[in-house]
Amino acid sequence: MILRYDRLGVEIPSGDPDPAGAAAVQELMGGRFGEMSTLMNYTMQSFSFRGRKELRPFYDLIANIAAEEYGHIEAVGATITTMLTGASARDVVAQGSPAHALKAGKGVLPVDSGGTPWTGDYVFSSGDLVENLTHNYFLETGARNGKLKVYETVDHPAARALTGYLIVRGGVHQVAYARALELLTGANLTKAFPMPRIPTRKIPECRPHLERGSHFTLYRFTPEDYKEVVAVFKGEHPETGEELRVAHPAPEGFAWPEAPSEEDVFAPDYAPDEIAEIAQRLRCEAGFDDLTVRRAA
Amino acid sequence: MILRYDRLGVEIPSGDPDPAGAAAVQELMGGRFGEMSTLMNYTMQSFSFRGRKELRPFYDLIANIAAEEYGHIEAVGATITTMLTGASARDVVAQGSPAHALKAGKGVLPVDSGGTPWTGDYVFSSGDLVENLTHNYFLETGARNGKLKVYETVDHPAARALTGYLIVRGGVHQVAYARALELLTGANLTKAFPMPRIPTRKIPECRPHLERGSHFTLYRFTPEDYKEVVAVFKGEHPETGEELRVAHPAPEGFAWPEAPSEEDVFAPDYAPDEIAEIAQRLRCEAGFDDLTVRRAA
Amino acid sequence: MILRYDRLGVEIPSGDPDPAGAAAVQELMGGRFGEMSTLMNYTMQSFSFRGRKELRPFYDLIANIAAEEYGHIEAVGATITTMLTGASARDVVAQGSPAHALKAGKGVLPVDSGGTPWTGDYVFSSGDLVENLTHNYFLETGARNGKLKVYETVDHPAARALTGYLIVRGGVHQVAYARALELLTGANLTKAFPMPRIPTRKIPECRPHLERGSHFTLYRFTPEDYKEVVAVFKGEHPETGEELRVAHPAPEGFAWPEAPSEEDVFAPDYAPDEIAEIAQRLRCEAGFDDLTVRRAA
Amino acid sequence: MILRYDRLGVEIPSGDPDPAGAAAVQELMGGRFGEMSTLMNYTMQSFSFRGRKELRPFYDLIANIAAEEYGHIEAVGATITTMLTGASARDVVAQGSPAHALKAGKGVLPVDSGGTPWTGDYVFSSGDLVENLTHNYFLETGARNGKLKVYETVDHPAARALTGYLIVRGGVHQVAYARALELLTGANLTKAFPMPRIPTRKIPECRPHLERGSHFTLYRFTPEDYKEVVAVFKGEHPETGEELRVAHPAPEGFAWPEAPSEEDVFAPDYAPDEIAEIAQRLRCEAGFDDLTVRRAA
Amino acid sequence: MILRYDRLGVEIPSGDPDPAGAAAVQELMGGRFGEMSTLMNYTMQSFSFRGRKELRPFYDLIANIAAEEYGHIEAVGATITTMLTGASARDVVAQGSPAHALKAGKGVLPVDSGGTPWTGDYVFSSGDLVENLTHNYFLETGARNGKLKVYETVDHPAARALTGYLIVRGGVHQVAYARALELLTGANLTKAFPMPRIPTRKIPECRPHLERGSHFTLYRFTPEDYKEVVAVFKGEHPETGEELRVAHPAPEGFAWPEAPSEEDVFAPDYAPDEIAEIAQRLRCEAGFDDLTVRRAA
Amino acid sequence: MILRYDRLGVEIPSGDPDPAGAAAVQELMGGRFGEMSTLMNYTMQSFSFRGRKELRPFYDLIANIAAEEYGHIEAVGATITTMLTGASARDVVAQGSPAHALKAGKGVLPVDSGGTPWTGDYVFSSGDLVENLTHNYFLETGARNGKLKVYETVDHPAARALTGYLIVRGGVHQVAYARALELLTGANLTKAFPMPRIPTRKIPECRPHLERGSHFTLYRFTPEDYKEVVAVFKGEHPETGEELRVAHPAPEGFAWPEAPSEEDVFAPDYAPDEIAEIAQRLRCEAGFDDLTVRRAA
């Protein structure tokens, strides 16, 4: 089970509407190597894990990384919604992805950059632990490639902030799976880092995360479980030589960006003030303060 | 972001291997009305929610129910893995779903009862709040239908325990969306309850949950957010007349069932003792106690 | 069985070629909420209807609306073909949907606005009448949303005439399913009308249809069956308070728009005059008048 | 537009429940060469037809055959629903197609024999008339193959009656497209008949249709359009040498088979008598006779 | 089994980058009528061929044409890679197909012009020889249509050279299947040639191939098998009256075009010189000459 | 381009009909890790290879392994066709895969064990050489898993012979990609061999291939190209320590198994003798000997 909290792992800045960019960022949501894939691969592998007791450190690793990935689909979702704010529905249809207007009301969808839906066929979960870890390493590698390419082809500050964050955090997972594999088999995949071969520190939007040590830190996204990850996530970081560490609790995070109403797609309504008024009444009845008053003040 | 904890919402009993039943239960994971769909619909709607500030109670409702749904895919996953434990790979291929052996190592996959993968196309998120709520009500209705049919066609005690639990919890979400819609528009969809028209109390595996009031309780699956759900989830339960309530924290839950190794599908390995030994060594190095010793004692 | 006649439910005006607009209108053909979906949902539900004798009014309603939907896919088809007339194949490939030139010869395809084919997975037919009606209501709601968005994002007069017509007619079906549900369960979904919340009368292309009462009229598209729809389609229209009525026969309709040859996509041929000549000869042999002569006269 | 009437082209006999057979018959509904494909190919080709005026006989042929195909999906639908009547939901899941119970309430779905949904990708409509006719000939050939194989592998009398009928009627369409092609190009595809090479008269369930001349008759399924088909559908039948003919109106048809309620899949309801009672009341209110009384008498 | 050699069937000229054109050419790779389809249809039919001994000439025909088709997917692949050389990744995302940058590193993918992947569902292989040949004839007809349309809508010299070549070679296969069908059944499909009805000689890029007689020559792509094709591929060419001939060995072919590194998509690497250096060292160790030296000289 | 020759890489023995086993073997054809995937991944990567000149040894490796994979799809195809020989169509539909009778005429299809078609989405080709090699290593690992599982779950001697062969040959490719990666990056993936961890020598059907050294030999499937593979495929075999070697030409291979006619699926015809007679006449006309005479003698 999970506890969800209303924060994002990265601050998403606003910018000019960018429907074409938003379509490209969809690759990071619903592409074969997008965050839906990392989330669902690790999630399903944790459901099918056999020998949980005997192999606890590896179970904890996979289950805990799954938890962080949920935060990543949130960050991608917030980015796309932000990039579509203020675009005209007409422009979205004409030059971006028609589904963003016709289906999604200027929000995110679980599809890739070509509009193809994410599919459960992207999940690999063979039950063989060494093979699953090999897969996960490869998946993170493809994911890094995708993030780097979106970084290079989309200018919007939200997309840049997002990819800077995801490159660093995905890098941690790439290290984690390579290290797990090394501990089980002796294969030193970390020799191949970085893969793709671009040094992370060259990317300006990655630097703030590097500076606070995010790249060598695995956060435990849990009230108090998954403690045995420390048995696997250890040793030197393959690029920097710094000692890997496990931290708990995870950083506090950032508020979700505002997503104002977009009436030409009826989001949240053709006449949003009417339902906002109902909502205010309900809030007051339930003892919450009246936003209308507060704003008027 | 989420915090994941290593517990299940329902206790999953063991039983005889049942590959054919496991294939049917997949409908509740990856079918159009399965738990992947409820999870991802509410999740994506929360990412694309416009007017979050003005419409907070409705945002909180959708975001919080999304959180519970993650626990539901866990419960379905644990059930399927349990039902496959002890089956011969040969039997799985011959009479059940070949993918459960050839692809999943006797674990769950994000596919439906016919083996078709779940797809992002199952997500509806138009941005129009009233329409999204209408969809969500309908989705829960289809989900209830699916759970009832799996209940009627599969005998395995894990499947029965699972569906008993999901029918009750899904019923809460069905009520929640109907009530939200009623508060916004006046449409009294609860008049149509139960839908399908089978009284929940007739189902033996539902009764323990009814007895503890689970059917009129919305749990807040969060450290401390989503407080404004109380502004919507209120009034009488449409079937029983009991007062709806919001509870926090959610119940503690149950341990995951054991999932022993299945060597004929190499899960977690063709020779699982070898990697278990490595894992023990790593655990000891990290300061955890030695399971081998404990068991020997 | 059906009798097809060579007329359209709405007059489709010509205009400048608009490949990008034609791609958007495809959403109304092959999208999840397009006319293929309404047609095939009601059609399949009528094939699987159990208790036809006892529940005749509801069977008649679904079977008869299915019949009207066939006319709707015709109208969408004629619109798209019209919007592509005169476009250069090169432009269609470059800025519109390549399939419209490479596959469809400047005609319609059963795909959505992103080029994804319509799929039978869009059909819901659970056998449970109340649930099917709930689904159908929701389907019409999603369809109304799609039509409104295409209306807002495409300027071509054919697209505007089409959506004006479909919004009104789909509205009738939305009312019909809501009323059926109300009669069976007491749930007053019509309280939520219009959904989306835009008053139909605000849309200029809807007004001619409103003026002739099309919005409160269910036509029986049948030689003489489906008479019992009157037992369900009755009472007040939820937006206007006018009395709902059932009419027979349906209006006569309009001629299909001309669709001249487009030689750069070999439609109907690279050298259309040659096959037209053969066709004329065959017509004369069969005793029909000679169009060549008539035109020369 | 169409007028639908509540009759079937063939009488569908009842028999023992046969879930496995029903799954096989689905190939004739949703397979690449099933009746959804013939219906939708000719339907879409009629929407995109360019040069309708000059090439009227060919347009009329395609548009009119499309109309008959709607009757064919009805016949397949009625057959599958009939074959599932009386089966236990448990058996449907265990040995037939789980979707028939879990999704379809013992009714038909637009999927093939493996449960894969029909897709709009099966529609070919290039705009080139000669090519479309070539395609249609090939499609009918594949369809004949499929019908013959279902005939050989399924024993249920409904499946046999259905395939006997479809083989004869599909044969007419195969002849029609071959003849159209011959008239336009001189290519004598009819030389290859029958294709597959099984003489139709060898199939007992085809014989009643042959005896009434159905195999050389094209019915005009229209109130009064598509008259110019006679300019194409003429000459000798390739197998029998009989003169081809066009008939109007089409035969009257048969009543749909009874489809009684199946409560274990909630079709039409978990407690069907309750909604039947409501329906009776509505019927009486609308001036129809009371079935309950009639039956009691 | 096959022997592959490092040559192309046609010379692919370079030109300006053309991402939009490259997207259109994908139709010839992964579309329903693309070269993946011709390759895989004939390949699979050869695997499932029954009565190979008795029907050897027809087996040889299908198996041998399959071999040529592998060369066709190569030619399409080389064309698309060439057309993407030098394009900025940003432009590829913005106006072409995002997958060409985000997924394929400016290379080809097995998808169609809309980005939809080729699927095994495009393979028809019923086992019935006459029917398979009918299908193959129709497939080549659809393929010719597609090539002609790409020719008309894309200007890049590589696309023109490719389509000129494929139109001629596909025409040979169209003739081959029509003739095979004629010999087995007497049906003279060649009467309908050319289909589509554009004379091949009107296309400038086809003429060099016509001049060397490529249009009436079936090459045996084999060391020494498939000799019995001569029993089928014979008689007059339907358009020109020239005698069909079988030739062996096939023409020598052309070198693959250069495909220089594209660093903004990390192909073959973000810093390609580093891995080129390793490759040179490995080459020298294995006794091959040092390209660096040679180039310096 | 390729030269195809009419031999198989492994001898396929006959056995009793086994439709259920044939369905499982389809996983090795059309599954995500089947031979279609290995063939098409390496094939497409060779088309998109950038820096072919500088990185020749790696290009040669990928292009040459692609060539061998074509032989693997042949072997899988021959196996499935053999396993279906003699089965009744009725049995194929009832207990195996309906498509094998209804679509494939007791032959192979490009689908997986659940009947889902292979898709181009299974191709990974990012352009980044190190990443492609990582993918290919992982792909061969998944493929080995699949082969081992089919070996364990299917008894038919053809399936056993096939998997014995493919496990050994796939193992060579797994080594090749691991070695290539090691030479470029230093990562010693071979430490993790075998993966899955079952020693190949334990499998009886692998032993004949091990005895002739097939497991440490890369064959050049080419008339005379791809010579530079020796620069990469070298060093010790990770499991046995034997020296890797490159051999040319590849072994001669084996005749395809007989595939007699199956009249209940019309393969090659409902009355195969009739077309066999035509074929004989054509053979004689072309100067080949008369099989009928030979057999009579």
Side-chain angles (χ1 to χ4, degrees), chain A residues 32-33 41 119 121-124 126-128 130-131 134-138 141-146 149 181 184-192 195-197, chain F residues 32-33 41 119 121-124 126-128 130-131 134-138 141-146 149 181 184-192 195-197:
Chain A
R32 179 170 162 190
F33 296 94
N41 268 282
T119 159
D121 202 31
Y122 289 157
V123 170
F124 179 85
S126 76
D128 178 324
V130 170
E131 195 179 26
T134 306
H135 166 269
N136 296 353
Y137 170 77
F138 168 64
T141 300
R144 191 172 196 270
N145 190 321
K149 282 182 180 156
L181 205 54
L184 279 175
T185 69
N188 60 352
L189 263 169
T190 51
K191 280 250 178 176
M195 190 192 292
R197 215 171 283 232
Chain F
R32 179 171 163 189
F33 296 95
N41 270 281
T119 159
D121 201 30
Y122 289 158
V123 170
F124 179 85
S126 77
D128 179 322
V130 169
E131 196 180 24
T134 306
H135 166 269
N136 296 353
Y137 170 77
F138 168 64
T141 299
R144 190 172 196 271
N145 191 321
K149 282 182 181 157
L181 205 53
L184 279 175
T185 69
N188 59 352
L189 263 170
T190 52
K191 279 249 180 177
M195 192 192 289
R197 213 172 284 232

Side-chain angles (χ1 to χ4, degrees), chain A residues 86-242:
Chain A
S88 85
R90 195 172 296 260
D91 288 353
V92 174
V93 167
Q95 33 169 318
S97 153
H100 274 157
L102 302 182
K103 294 182 185 165
K106 298 186 195 161
V108 66
L109 286 170
V111 304
D112 75 6
S113 61
T116 304
W118 185 86
T119 159
D121 202 31
Y122 289 157
V123 170
F124 179 85
S125 174
S126 76
D128 178 324
L129 177 59
V130 170
E131 195 179 26
N132 280 1
L133 292 170
T134 306
H135 166 269
N136 296 353
Y137 170 77
F138 168 64
L139 178 62
E140 290 290 346
T141 300
R144 191 172 196 270
N145 190 321
K147 295 162 192 172
L148 287 164
K149 282 182 180 156
V150 169
Y151 181 87
E152 296 226 351
T153 56
V154 181
D155 290 330
H156 192 285
R160 291 293 176 97
L162 173 78
T163 46
Y165 169 73
L166 290 179
I167 289 165
V168 172
R169 295 306 307 156
V172 172
H173 301 167
Q174 204 182 13
V175 170
Y177 289 123
R179 182 59 37 89
L181 205 54
E182 189 174 12
L183 291 169
L184 279 175
T185 69
N188 60 352
L189 263 169
T190 51
K191 280 250 178 176
F193 277 61
M195 190 192 292
R197 215 171 283 232
I198 303 175
T200 306
R201 68 178 179 278
K202 283 205 171 174
I203 299 165
E205 283 81 357
C206 291
R207 275 186 221 135
H209 306 288
L210 299 177
E211 278 159 21
R212 68 176 69 99
S214 176
H215 59 299
F216 55 75
T217 308
L218 187 68
Y219 302 112
R220 281 174 43 227
F221 280 92
T222 174
E224 49 181 334
D225 289 327
Y226 311 125
K227 289 178 180 156
E228 299 197 12
V229 293
V230 294
V232 176
F233 193 78
K234 64 180 186 181
E236 290 188 359
H237 187 281
E239 285 178 78
T240 66
E242 293 157 302

Side-chain angles (χ1 to χ4, degrees), chain A residues 27 42 54 74 97 100 108 188 199 208 222 232 244 260 263-264 284:
Chain A
E27 190 69 25
Y42 312 149
E54 296 81 358
E74 283 180 320
S97 153
H100 274 157
V108 66
N188 60 352
T222 174
V232 176
L244 300 176
E263 296 166 31
D264 65 353
C284 294

Side-chain angles (χ1 to χ4, degrees), chain D residues 32-33 121-124 126 128 130-131 134-135 137-138 141-142 145 149 185-188 191-192 195-197, chain E residues 32-33 121-124 126 128 130-131 134-135 137-138 141-142 145 149 185-188 191-192 195-197:
Chain D
R32 179 171 163 190
F33 296 94
D121 202 31
Y122 289 157
V123 170
F124 179 85
S126 76
D128 179 323
V130 170
E131 195 179 25
T134 306
H135 166 268
Y137 170 77
F138 168 64
T141 299
N145 190 322
K149 282 182 180 156
T185 69
N188 59 352
K191 279 251 179 175
M195 192 190 291
R197 214 172 282 233
Chain E
R32 179 170 162 189
F33 296 95
D121 202 31
Y122 289 157
V123 169
F124 179 85
S126 76
D128 179 322
V130 170
E131 196 179 26
T134 307
H135 165 269
Y137 170 77
F138 168 64
T141 300
N145 191 321
K149 282 182 181 156
T185 69
N188 60 352
K191 280 250 178 176
M195 191 192 289
R197 214 172 283 231

